[in-house]
Amino acid sequence: MIRQMISVVLVLTGLCVVALLVLVSVRWVRQACLSRIQTQLGELEKDLWREVRADPEHGRTAASLLAHVRLLQHRSLKFTDGEKSLRPLREELQALLEDIENYHAGLDVYADKRGPIIKGYLSSIDRTLQTYSVNVPRGYLGDRPFPLVVHLHGHGWFAPFQGHPAPEYGGAITLAPYGRGPTDYLYIGEVDVLRTIEEVKKDYLIDEDRVYLTGTSMGGTGCWTLAVHHPHLFAGIAPRAGNADYHA
């Protein structure tokens, strides 16, 4: 009986050791794959950043591709053992690599993209890359102007990529600016919103008479500010829970 118990204990111990080795191996392989992805993204970031700074206007597409690279870098740094697979990250990286290849081949990589899209531009204020998000409905074919809804995010402190993914508003293109983060859309935050509106108008047919502004919390505050400062730009606003009195 004692021998049988010892045998069972040894078998169970062996199984535990094997399971532990498998777990360690899986984590090591996944970490190695993640490190390769991060290295590849770092190389892409350097190459695209060089192109953007060399010619900001010609490099508009490169700026948006760079924004996508930095988004994936951010996601890769946030990857934890609790996540089941690196596959979504690898697949998005592969799609991005194809976009970069098509861009260098002279193709318009954004012409047929629909749904939420991360984009970027080089700021003339401080020569930094600023990101924004657009959501292009499937019904947009580029043959007629579409309404534009500018959606202002709430206060998210200094977290990057605020506003992405831009929400969907049926029958309209949505723009969600980053607005330089927690600025209440004042000063450089206000400049950012105006610049991203112009960027969207360069890429898509926008009905100038149907540009709308909405947002919640800090985004609602931005609605009031931007509408008062630039009433000619917006057909209507829908602020929610926004502060309209900076002296309160």
Side-chain angles (χ1 to χ4, degrees), residues 1-12:
M1 177 66 71
I2 294 177
R3 289 182 178 179
Q4 291 178 341
M5 291 179 63
I6 293 174
S7 298
V8 170
V9 169
L10 290 175
V11 169
L12 292 175

Side-chain angles (χ1 to χ4, degrees), residues 1-75:
M1 177 66 71
I2 294 177
R3 289 182 178 179
Q4 291 178 341
M5 291 179 63
I6 293 174
S7 298
V8 170
V9 169
L10 290 175
V11 169
L12 292 175
T13 301
L15 290 174
C16 289
V17 171
V18 170
L20 181 61
L21 290 174
V22 170
L23 179 60
V24 171
S25 298
V26 169
R27 292 183 63 180
W28 183 88
V29 170
R30 186 158 54 175
Q31 186 58 47
C33 290
L34 184 59
S35 295
R36 286 197 296 270
I37 289 173
Q38 291 171 338
T39 298
Q40 191 171 11
L41 287 169
E43 293 171 352
L44 292 173
E45 200 270 347
K46 289 179 182 178
D47 292 341
L48 288 170
W49 188 222
R50 190 181 303 113
E51 292 186 40
V52 171
R53 287 182 296 181
D55 188 348
E57 186 57 34
H58 176 71
R60 288 183 65 248
T61 299
S64 290
L65 292 170
L66 177 58
H68 197 171
V69 167
R70 290 187 175 177
L71 176 62
L72 293 188
Q73 286 178 314
H74 177 69
R75 288 178 179 169

Side-chain angles (χ1 to χ4, degrees), residues 99-240:
D99 284 344
I100 293 173
E101 182 179 352
N102 289 331
Y103 160 66
H104 287 140
L107 302 178
D108 186 344
V109 299
Y110 292 104
D112 298 324
K113 289 188 183 296
R114 298 296 181 265
I117 306 167
I118 188 71
K119 289 196 167 189
Y121 70 89
L122 183 67
S123 171
S124 59
I125 296 175
D126 55 6
R127 303 285 290 177
T128 59
L129 182 80
Q130 296 301 314
T131 63
Y132 61 98
S133 182
V134 294
N135 194 320
V136 184
R138 294 187 180 276
Y140 177 81
L141 301 176
D143 57 348
R144 62 181 177 87
F146 262 52
L148 175 65
V149 177
V150 182
H151 180 97
L152 304 181
H153 65 78
H155 195 296
W157 295 100
F158 295 96
F161 307 106
Q162 292 182 59
H164 183 73
E168 180 180 353
Y169 289 92
I173 293 173
T174 306
L175 161 65
Y178 177 58
R180 297 279 184 151
T183 63
D184 273 351
Y185 301 99
L186 293 169
Y187 313 115
I188 58 174
E190 181 175 355
V191 172
D192 179 81
V193 175
L194 299 177
R195 172 66 184 271
T196 54
I197 291 174
E198 290 305 313
E199 291 293 316
V200 170
K201 288 180 179 179
K202 290 178 182 179
D203 294 330
Y204 306 98
L205 284 176
I206 300 299
D207 187 339
E208 298 280 354
D209 295 325
R210 292 191 293 169
V211 178
Y212 304 96
L213 191 59
T214 187
T216 303
S217 189
M218 188 184 81
T221 299
C223 283
W224 292 115
T225 301
L226 284 155
V228 168
H229 290 177
H230 313 279
H232 61 289
L233 292 181
F234 306 105
I237 64 172
R240 299 185 296 272

